[in-house]
Amino acid sequence: MVQCLGTIRPSPSLSYFATYKRQLSFRSSPITGPANGFSPFRRIFNAYLQSNSATTGAGSQSPSEPSEVIFIGTGTSEGIPRVSCLTHPLKTCEVCSKAAEPGNKNRRLNTSILVRYPRPSGSCNVLIDAGKFFYHSALKWFPSYGIRTIDAVIITHSHADAIGGLDDLRDWTNNVQPHIPIYVAQRDFEVMKKTHYYLVDTSFVLAGAAVSELQFNIIHEDPFSVQGLQFTPLPVWHGRGYRSLGFRFGNVCYISDVSDIPEETYPLLKNCELLILDALRPDRSTATHFGLPRALEEVRKIQPKRTLFTGMMHLMDHEKVSDYLMKLMETEGLDVQLSYDGLRVPVAF
């Protein structure tokens, strides 16, 4: 269910998840915790298995206007290049030095994607996370790809690299559209009441001041619909005791911030064709993020058709890690790659 400013709206049918036989196509170039903590998902998955038909409607695929996922950012909270690396008097950071070059794929801002899909009234743009570098990402990619409106923002968790850009949405609500719906879990909304109190309760705003006009919708552990496309939350751990959400839409599964996947989430990842997964560093995991070795273990377990890693820090050299991942295609048949800021991946819903 989705709770909107104190009102309850029933969530759409879970029949959307009954049939996963549609194909995704891709283009590789951007320019052309305790398991019982997630017990509600047993009910969701059972309903998912019992469904026999797929949802059609405003989010349906149009041959003339394909759906796509656009990587607005693929880096850590601090961004790449690091200022501290570029100003170090004695040590040169190879990745950050490369990232300082225009157009280099090691340049990464806060992790975020935009899901773009057709509807009768035109393209729908759903943003997942608006971090503290959101303005800079939007400045780069929105004009380049003809993105004007933001039809909704879905929040994975309430860290600064996921919600720090909510204030920047004022440009849209002041000049493009009257408001933006925000879909957020209750626990993260409670954080927003403190970090963005003036956006949650606009009575604090002085007369004549312009702030983002946001409509906060509380999401629960059930699928919910955004402009005709259904999203299923994928609960994961992002450090001990801290829950973050991934999301499944169609056959795309997006998990950006994760240190462990509870057993009850795996059934929701079945028949995933495109997995977008956290992979912070090349050597090991941390208390809050998968490293590349663990991320690859999860890929082997989930068995998606294709995987794109995201959320990389400055130890992940795009060219070097990509060369290593290409060898896994030859040795294991694993289709795994690094994403990068500005990458566009056509998908079908």
Side-chain angles (χ1 to χ4, degrees):
M1 305 180 90
V2 176
Q3 179 178 347
C4 179
L5 300 178
T7 63
I8 300 294
R9 297 199 301 269
S11 59
S13 168
L14 285 168
S15 62
Y16 176 81
F17 300 98
T19 306
Y20 284 119
K21 296 182 180 178
R22 305 182 193 91
Q23 299 298 315
L24 287 88
S25 59
F26 304 97
R27 55 174 183 254
S28 59
S29 169
I31 304 303
T32 48
N36 60 8
F38 300 92
S39 56
F41 277 79
R42 284 194 192 282
R43 172 173 51 82
I44 297 172
F45 181 60
N46 288 337
Y48 157 70
L49 289 177
Q50 294 166 6
S51 297
N52 345 345
S53 61
T55 296
T56 59
S60 299
Q61 175 75 9
S62 168
S64 60
E65 190 179 4
S67 302
E68 62 182 347
V69 171
I70 301 175
F71 287 79
I72 302 300
T74 60
T76 56
S77 183
E78 60 199 353
I80 302 170
R82 289 180 174 179
V83 175
S84 60
C85 286
L86 297 182
T87 59
H88 199 295
L90 302 175
K91 183 179 179 181
T92 298
C93 174
E94 183 179 1
V95 173
C96 287
S97 297
K98 290 180 180 179
E101 302 168 357
N104 191 278
K105 291 179 181 178
N106 286 296
R107 184 175 183 84
R108 308 175 183 124
L109 299 183
N110 294 163
T111 298
S112 172
I113 61 170
L114 186 134
V115 185
R116 196 178 196 185
Y117 53 98
R119 55 181 179 172
S121 58
S123 292
C124 184
N125 302 310
V126 176
L127 183 70
I128 299 184
D129 287 341
K132 55 189 181 179
F133 296 143
F134 169 69
Y135 166 79
H136 301 281
S137 295
L139 184 64
K140 172 69 174 178
W141 304 116
F142 277 43
S144 299
Y145 297 148
I147 303 165
R148 178 161 173 80
T149 61
I150 300 176
D151 294 277
V153 178
I154 302 175
I155 301 299
T156 61
H157 66 301
S158 51
H159 288 168
D161 57 351
I163 67 170
L166 291 178
D167 187 76
D168 293 323
L169 299 178
R170 70 173 68 188
D171 187 16
W172 281 262
T173 61
N174 290 344
N175 303 304
V176 179
Q177 57 196 87
H179 61 267
I180 297 177
I182 308 295
Y183 293 83
V184 59
Q186 182 69 52
R187 61 187 174 274
D188 298 312
F189 183 58
E190 294 302 319
V191 174
M192 291 179 181
K193 287 180 179 179
K194 300 175 182 178
T195 60
H196 294 81
Y197 65 91
Y198 59 98
L199 299 181
V200 174
D201 183 357
T202 56
S203 66
F204 288 98
V205 180
L206 296 176
V211 299
S212 306
E213 290 287 342
L214 309 179
Q215 294 181 340
F216 292 93
N217 301 270
I218 304 303
I219 58 175
H220 302 281
E221 296 178 346
D222 298 299
F224 58 97
S225 178
V226 179
Q227 299 289 341
L229 180 62
Q230 290 204 43
F231 291 80
T232 288
L234 303 171
V236 295
W237 296 113
H238 182 28
R240 185 175 181 180
Y242 185 89
R243 193 188 310 199
S244 181
L245 292 178
F247 295 96
R248 178 171 188 152
F249 42 98
N251 285 348
V252 180
C253 296
Y254 178 74
I255 303 177
S256 61
D257 294 79
V258 56
S259 58
D260 197 24
I261 301 177
E263 285 302 318
E264 294 201 11
T265 296
Y266 285 106
L268 300 174
L269 299 171
K270 285 184 177 295
N271 303 315
C272 172
E273 297 201 5
L274 173 60
L275 174 64
I276 303 170
L277 185 63
D278 187 21
L280 177 69
R281 52 187 295 154
D283 51 351
R284 60 176 176 83
S285 297
T286 68
T288 52
H289 290 275
F290 282 166
L292 185 59
R294 173 66 186 278
L296 287 169
E297 289 179 14
E298 296 296 335
V299 170
R300 295 181 180 104
K301 181 174 182 178
I302 297 167
Q303 297 185 333
K305 287 189 176 179
R306 184 187 183 191
T307 300
L308 290 167
F309 294 124
T310 192
M312 290 82 68
M313 69 179 300
H314 75 148
L315 296 179
M316 294 279 274
D317 185 293
H318 186 90
E319 293 181 359
K320 293 181 179 179
V321 175
S322 294
D323 288 344
Y324 166 71
L325 295 177
M326 286 182 63
K327 295 177 182 177
L328 294 181
M329 170 64 84
E330 300 171 0
T331 59
E332 297 185 46
L334 288 182
D335 189 348
V336 286
Q337 297 171 283
L338 294 186
S339 62
Y340 48 91
D341 291 21
L343 174 63
R344 303 172 73 176
V345 182
V347 296
F349 298 133

